[in-house]
Amino acid sequence: MAGKIMIENGADMARVDDTLTRIARNAGIDNPKIFETTTGILMSIPKQAAAQVEPIQKRTIDLEKVSLVNQNSRAFQDGQISLNEFRNNLVKLNISTPFFSFWLQLIAAVIVSVTLMIMYGGSWRDIIATAFAGGLGYSCYYLINNRLKIRFVSEFLASFLIGVIAVLFVRLQLGSRIGMITIGGVMPLVPGVPITNAVRDVFAGHFLSGMARAMEALLSACAIGMGIAFVFRFL
């Protein structure tokens, strides 16, 4: 359960493997056999015929849950909680851990868009256009992900909307540089954590997970690029 929560919420495989191994050893298993990928966990105990498989059916980014699993793992290691209490805590945190509301996420997306646009050399004149593009683009991405749950379509449509907004603002002389407005607007959509985790997995020797995450991040990046390309091609 601990490994499933960590993988579902964006932990890299080296951290997952280390956490599961520590939990097993602290529970009295000297040499646990564990195999993790982005789509499932396989674990067995030496001298026992049975093995347990846990599928991973969703993947998102919620590093607060990863941190809480690690905190409970340390508490179990120090003897502050029992194994049953550890399990109950995992069930609770997986269900009741608060997630940032849509409006806080939207404000964060706007701030990220505007800040990175300026950092990349954009003009202060494009702040309003970038904020508008980043906010509407992230809203589109969020709503499609939560309503339709179709992978990569949300990135495509959100980036397409961002490109359209950038073009319209410049044509209405409310912005100066289409490229900078677009770059700032798409920054909240860029799969930064999956790319980082893919590199970390490969460096840690988890090549299967690393390549799978790299491919997933690449498809997201391609969807974003195609959305912008459609705008520049037809508008």
Side-chain angles (χ1 to χ4, degrees), residues 109-110 112-118 123 125-136 162 165-166 169 174 177 180-186:
V110 170
V112 167
S113 298
V114 171
T115 303
L116 292 179
M117 184 272 294
I118 296 296
S123 171
R125 181 185 172 190
D126 294 328
I127 286 182
I128 296 178
T130 304
F132 201 75
L136 280 183
I162 290 169
I165 293 172
F169 265 79
L174 299 175
R177 300 174 66 183
M180 283 300 168
I181 296 172
T182 302
I183 290 172
V186 301

Side-chain angles (χ1 to χ4, degrees), residues 55-93:
I56 307 298
Q57 298 176 338
K58 64 176 183 178
R59 285 179 298 278
T60 184
I61 303 297
D62 189 348
L63 299 183
E64 184 174 2
K65 287 187 178 181
V66 176
S67 176
L68 290 174
V69 172
N70 284 330
Q71 290 180 19
N72 279 274
S73 175
R74 296 188 194 99
F76 177 60
Q77 181 177 2
D78 295 337
Q80 299 175 6
I81 58 176
S82 66
L83 188 60
N84 285 331
E85 290 174 329
F86 188 8
R87 183 186 184 281
N88 291 334
N89 290 346
L90 291 176
V91 173
K92 291 178 183 177
L93 74 87

Side-chain angles (χ1 to χ4, degrees), residues 3-233:
K4 181 177 181 179
I5 293 172
M6 295 180 74
I7 295 174
E8 285 181 343
N9 292 282
D12 60 278
M13 290 301 160
R15 182 185 297 270
V16 175
D17 185 74
D18 180 69
T19 300
L20 296 189
T21 301
R22 289 176 181 272
I23 293 172
R25 288 177 176 171
N26 292 326
I29 303 171
D30 294 330
N31 188 26
K33 305 297 183 181
I34 308 170
F35 178 72
E36 315 95 347
T37 70
T38 56
T39 56
I41 304 173
L42 174 64
M43 181 175 181
S44 66
I45 300 174
K47 299 180 181 179
Q48 293 192 17
Q52 185 173 352
V53 179
E54 188 68 39
I56 307 298
Q57 298 176 338
K58 64 176 183 178
R59 285 179 298 278
T60 184
I61 303 297
D62 189 348
L63 299 183
E64 184 174 2
K65 287 187 178 181
V66 176
S67 176
L68 290 174
V69 172
N70 284 330
Q71 290 180 19
N72 279 274
S73 175
R74 296 188 194 99
F76 177 60
Q77 181 177 2
D78 295 337
Q80 299 175 6
I81 58 176
S82 66
L83 188 60
N84 285 331
E85 290 174 329
F86 188 8
R87 183 186 184 281
N88 291 334
N89 290 346
L90 291 176
V91 173
K92 291 178 183 177
L93 74 87
N94 195 34
I95 296 175
S96 60
T97 300
F99 198 69
F100 290 112
S101 67
F102 166 72
W103 296 108
L104 286 176
Q105 295 182 54
L106 180 60
I107 292 172
V110 170
I111 293 173
V112 167
S113 298
V114 171
T115 303
L116 292 179
M117 184 272 294
I118 296 296
M119 289 179 60
Y120 291 147
S123 171
W124 291 94
R125 181 185 172 190
D126 294 328
I127 286 182
I128 296 178
T130 304
F132 201 75
L136 280 183
Y138 185 80
S139 299
C140 176
Y141 169 80
Y142 180 91
L143 292 175
I144 293 175
N145 267 347
N146 283 274
R147 298 289 177 86
L148 300 181
K149 301 183 184 299
I150 302 176
R151 296 299 309 274
F152 311 120
V153 173
S154 56
E155 287 94 335
F156 173 80
L157 293 179
S159 62
F160 180 81
L161 179 60
I162 290 169
V164 171
I165 293 172
V167 171
L168 290 178
F169 265 79
V170 172
R171 290 183 178 178
L172 294 174
Q173 297 184 350
L174 299 175
S176 60
R177 300 174 66 183
I178 295 176
M180 283 300 168
I181 296 172
T182 302
I183 290 172
V186 301
M187 281 297 111
L189 309 180
V190 174
V193 174
I195 293 174
T196 303
N197 283 341
V199 174
R200 293 187 63 178
D201 287 347
V202 170
F203 284 169
H206 296 272
F207 296 107
L208 183 61
S209 299
M211 295 305 295
R213 279 181 164 161
M215 182 58 66
E216 186 175 15
L218 179 62
L219 289 174
S220 294
C222 288
I224 294 171
M226 287 178 63
I228 299 301
F230 263 72
V231 174
F232 287 172
R233 174 64 179 83

